[in-house]
Amino acid sequence: MKYEFIRAIHDLESRLYRRLSLGAVGRAGLAICAGIVVLCGMDYILRINDKGLRVIITAVAGLLIVGSYLRFIHPVLRLRIDGVMIARWLEQVDARWRGRLAAAWEFAHLASDDLRWGSPELRALLMNDIEAHAADIGRLCHRFKGPGLVAFYIWLVALGVIACGFIFQPVVFGTAFIRLFNPFSDLAWPQRTHLKVVHYPEVVSRGGQFSIEVAAERGLVPDDVWIVFREAEGDERTTVGRFSMVRRGNRFYFQRDQVRSDFEFRIWGGDDFSHPWRLVRVVEPPRLTSLAVQLEPPTYTGWKSEVTDGPIRAVAGTRVVLRGTADRELRRVWILREPGGAVAAELGANRRSFRFPPEGEAVPSQSVGWELETSGRYSVHLEAEDGTFSVGDPEWEIRVVPDLPPVIAMQPQVPFLLATRIGRLPLRISARDDLALKRVTLELQNGAWHHSMAVLEGPQPYPKPRGKMSDMESWGETADRDLWLDLAHIEGISEGTLTATAVAEDYREQSSASNPLTIEVVTKEIFRDRMLTECEKLYDRLSEIYNIQSRINQEWRELWTSVTANRDIPPNFSERMYT
């Protein structure tokens, strides 16, 4: 073809068909990529292993591919674009060629000697006229780009992303495509969660507790980790139960109480199903065969050491030494004190006996004594060499009686404390201590002058043996002393105010004092005048009592006269008699 306008229309025809094809391919590719990503992502998240569901997913992927082809690509393949259509469209765009461009296109494709469409001269004249504007027609065709290729470019980007995925994560993306297009494949997804059993006992005491700790070794931390138990014996091992473990941070914990027989357990979480069944054996727990508790009272009490088999009753400050034996070799022994916490005991050479506090050569620098200060309770716990623990350990009471300071009181036996320098005053001193009284003294003070009188002296250096420390009813000592304070036998005393205080001391060197008594030491003249004054007060009081008695006698005579005169007893007779 020698006409330029024909070549321009042909170029526009090719460009339109090419852009329509690329757009259809881009839209179909986007739909297919989006569908495949959704299906693979669903399989990745749900980890679908059921073959039937995977066949359905593969069928959906196939329907998506076929539907995208029929919806986008097949209509473009059936489309036929010819020059006449483009020429008529250009006539509508530019009115200069209306009714002429399409005819020129058709005339150009007829033979020169074909007379059905008019004379060749007229057809040539029309085509030459259109050819004169071929440059304008070419520019118009080049200005029209055709349908957009946004979908095609987006599809190329999506393909690039998928290609990067195959480069950087070939296992994941390869697994996704194989599982999608081959539903009967046994290929599994790469494992995201990797669990590790940090600790669990392979042997548990019968009636004891089984505990396990699981951690996420790497990968994702699952929301839940499950543990399932089953019987360890029998052809058909019955599943005992499935339980969710307790999560604390990135670790999971579970405990099972009152274990009675051998069992197996298995854990899983997230997509980690790789852990096998683990066997746990149940054996008899270690037990105490003997326990001796030696109590060593404080030295000042004078009590001897005692030995008990569990419960402790002692005075504060008593040292405790525990010795015991078990029915098998032990790994460790600890004593749980409340209050006081847990302390470790020392194992003997045979690893069956133990002692607390430790006394071995390698231990003294680390040894911890046990001195009783407060009441509470304690228990002994054992761990055998096979890792089993004692079960149902008994708790024993600790009853500690504190050794308090003594209590003392002093009372005068006269209504007033007044005396001369040669006078005597009667006093009563009462003292009591939880254990025993070491001494009781009377302390006198007159200004700078001081004098001490012994009232009671206990045995030295310790009190007399009396009962046992555990026999608390035998504890305590009480002393009551009546004495005369003879001022004539006390040198250095002078007139003025004399302060007397009773002081009691026990064998723990604790002391207490009574309330002080204030005694007035006066001359004989002042004492006589004071006595005369007190006698006058006494006489006045006796006179008042005499008057009261006389009034009572008079009222009684009047009452009796009234009763005998009327020969009847009024209702209030008894009340008046009482009054």
Side-chain angles (χ1 to χ4, degrees):
M1 299 178 183
K2 60 183 179 178
Y3 296 102
E4 292 296 330
F5 77 92
I6 297 296
R7 185 178 296 108
I9 292 175
H10 271 296
D11 292 341
L12 179 58
E13 178 185 348
S14 301
R15 186 163 61 253
L16 284 176
Y17 191 80
R18 183 171 60 253
R19 294 179 72 91
L20 285 174
S21 300
L22 293 177
V25 171
R27 286 188 290 273
L30 275 180
I32 294 173
C33 289
I36 290 177
V37 168
V38 170
L39 294 176
C40 292
M42 182 176 63
D43 185 23
Y44 181 77
I45 295 174
L46 300 180
R47 303 297 168 110
I48 301 173
N49 293 319
D50 183 79
K51 297 298 176 72
L53 292 177
R54 289 176 58 185
V55 168
I56 294 175
I57 292 175
T58 302
V60 170
L63 291 176
L64 177 64
I65 295 173
V66 174
S68 299
Y69 171 79
L70 295 177
R71 175 65 179 83
F72 300 108
I73 299 177
H74 185 66
V76 174
L77 296 178
R78 295 181 59 187
L79 181 63
R80 294 292 180 267
I81 302 176
D82 54 17
V84 177
M85 294 175 57
I86 296 176
R88 290 176 180 173
W89 177 78
L90 293 175
E91 289 177 355
Q92 296 177 2
V93 175
D94 194 336
R96 291 179 298 173
W97 308 307
R98 185 166 299 171
R100 303 166 57 198
L101 186 58
W105 169 271
E106 291 181 352
F107 291 160
H109 289 80
L110 294 177
S112 57
D113 55 352
D114 190 349
L115 301 178
R116 291 177 301 170
W117 296 92
S119 65
E121 293 77 7
L122 292 177
R123 288 182 291 175
L125 181 63
L126 177 60
M127 289 186 291
N128 291 330
D129 184 34
I130 295 298
E131 181 67 18
H133 298 87
D136 296 335
I137 296 173
R139 285 193 295 269
L140 181 61
C141 292
H142 283 291
R143 190 168 66 246
F144 178 68
K145 300 298 181 182
L149 297 178
V150 177
F152 180 75
Y153 295 142
I154 295 176
W155 176 60
L156 291 180
V157 172
L159 290 179
V161 172
I162 294 175
C164 291
F166 273 99
I167 294 173
F168 294 104
Q169 293 288 339
V171 177
V172 175
F173 280 76
T175 302
F177 273 80
I178 293 175
R179 287 174 60 88
L180 178 63
F181 294 105
N182 185 8
F184 300 102
S185 172
D186 294 328
L187 182 64
W189 283 102
Q191 192 171 316
R192 294 178 298 174
T193 301
H194 298 269
L195 299 177
K196 176 184 178 181
V197 178
V198 178
H199 167 74
Y200 81 96
E202 296 182 357
V203 182
V204 180
S205 300
R206 192 179 310 279
Q209 183 184 84
F210 167 78
S211 60
I212 181 174
E213 178 183 355
V214 177
E217 186 176 15
R218 64 182 185 275
L220 299 178
V221 179
D223 294 332
D224 296 296
V225 173
W226 297 86
I227 183 170
V228 63
F229 297 93
R230 72 180 184 183
E231 297 177 354
E233 300 177 354
D235 297 335
E236 297 181 359
R237 300 181 179 180
T238 306
T239 301
V240 178
R242 187 184 71 168
F243 306 93
S244 176
M245 302 183 69
V246 178
R247 179 175 180 177
R248 296 173 187 166
N250 291 337
R251 302 209 168 197
F252 299 83
Y253 302 87
F254 182 81
Q255 64 181 28
R256 180 184 177 188
D257 299 325
Q258 296 295 323
V259 177
R260 294 297 178 186
S261 60
D262 297 350
F263 64 90
E264 294 179 345
F265 75 93
R266 181 173 175 263
I267 65 165
W268 74 86
D271 60 350
D272 188 354
F273 298 90
S274 61
H275 288 268
W277 288 96
R278 291 179 168 91
L279 173 65
V280 177
R281 294 186 300 106
V282 178
V283 299
E284 293 298 326
R287 301 183 186 278
L288 277 175
T289 56
S290 66
L291 179 66
V293 184
Q294 182 178 347
L295 305 177
E296 300 177 0
T299 306
Y300 72 85
T301 62
W303 276 318
K304 297 181 179 180
S305 298
E306 298 182 21
V307 177
T308 180
D309 58 355
I312 297 176
R313 302 174 70 185
V315 67
T318 300
R319 293 185 67 253
V320 180
V321 178
L322 285 177
R323 293 182 178 88
T325 57
D327 61 352
R328 69 186 69 176
E329 293 186 359
L330 302 175
R331 179 181 299 173
R332 65 186 179 109
V333 178
W334 70 98
I335 291 91
L336 181 61
R337 303 174 297 177
E338 297 180 5
V343 290
E346 178 189 17
L347 292 176
N350 59 1
R351 306 197 67 81
R352 289 174 177 257
S353 60
F354 62 89
R355 183 187 190 276
F356 179 81
E359 62 176 359
E361 295 182 356
V363 182
S365 61
Q366 303 176 356
S367 63
V368 179
W370 187 3
E371 187 172 305
L372 299 177
E373 296 295 338
T374 59
S375 299
R377 60 185 65 250
Y378 78 97
S379 56
V380 179
H381 302 269
L382 313 175
E383 181 183 0
E385 283 288 0
D386 58 3
T388 57
F389 296 90
S390 55
V391 177
D393 301 306
E395 288 187 338
W396 289 286
E397 179 189 14
I398 302 175
R399 184 178 176 186
V400 178
V401 178
D403 185 8
L404 301 176
V407 179
I408 188 169
M410 181 172 59
Q411 295 178 346
Q413 301 298 308
V414 292
F416 50 87
L417 298 175
L418 184 70
T420 64
R421 292 176 57 187
I422 59 173
R424 301 173 66 199
L425 288 175
L427 301 175
R428 183 178 181 84
I429 298 177
S430 300
R432 188 187 186 285
D433 186 66
D434 297 330
L435 298 179
L437 294 167
K438 185 176 183 180
R439 66 173 57 90
V440 177
T441 58
L442 180 62
E443 306 294 330
L444 303 175
Q445 187 172 359
N446 185 355
W449 177 84
H450 179 268
H451 180 72
S452 180
M453 295 176 54
V455 178
L456 181 148
E457 284 288 343
Q460 297 294 334
Y462 312 121
K464 294 180 180 179
R466 63 211 179 284
K468 296 168 56 179
M469 179 179 62
S470 58
D471 186 10
M472 295 185 177
E473 290 74 13
S474 65
W475 294 13
E477 179 182 0
T478 302
D480 295 320
R481 295 292 186 272
D482 293 324
L483 57 90
W484 285 92
L485 179 59
D486 193 348
L487 301 182
H489 293 83
I490 301 175
E491 297 180 358
I493 194 170
S494 61
E495 287 83 4
T497 301
L498 179 66
T499 302
T501 306
V503 178
E505 181 183 353
D506 62 8
Y507 286 89
R508 196 182 177 188
E509 306 300 331
Q510 301 178 116
S511 63
S512 59
S514 67
N515 293 328
L517 298 179
T518 303
I519 304 172
E520 294 184 22
V521 181
V522 298
T523 61
K524 293 181 179 180
E525 291 76 12
I526 296 176
F527 182 79
R528 184 170 52 252
D529 293 342
R530 184 71 64 82
M531 289 298 101
L532 290 175
T533 302
E534 294 296 331
C535 287
E536 291 176 358
K537 292 180 181 179
L538 180 60
Y539 292 151
D540 292 341
R541 181 61 179 165
L542 291 175
S543 176
E544 182 181 354
I545 294 174
Y546 176 77
N547 292 334
I548 293 174
Q549 181 64 33
S550 298
R551 188 168 63 252
I552 291 174
N553 292 338
Q554 180 63 30
E555 291 181 358
W556 173 256
R557 284 194 295 270
E558 292 176 359
L559 178 61
W560 182 252
T561 302
S562 173
V563 171
T564 55
N566 298 328
R567 294 183 179 181
D568 62 349
I569 299 177
N572 59 347
F573 178 74
S574 60
E575 296 179 2
R576 293 184 62 188
M577 289 279 293
Y578 176 77
T579 304

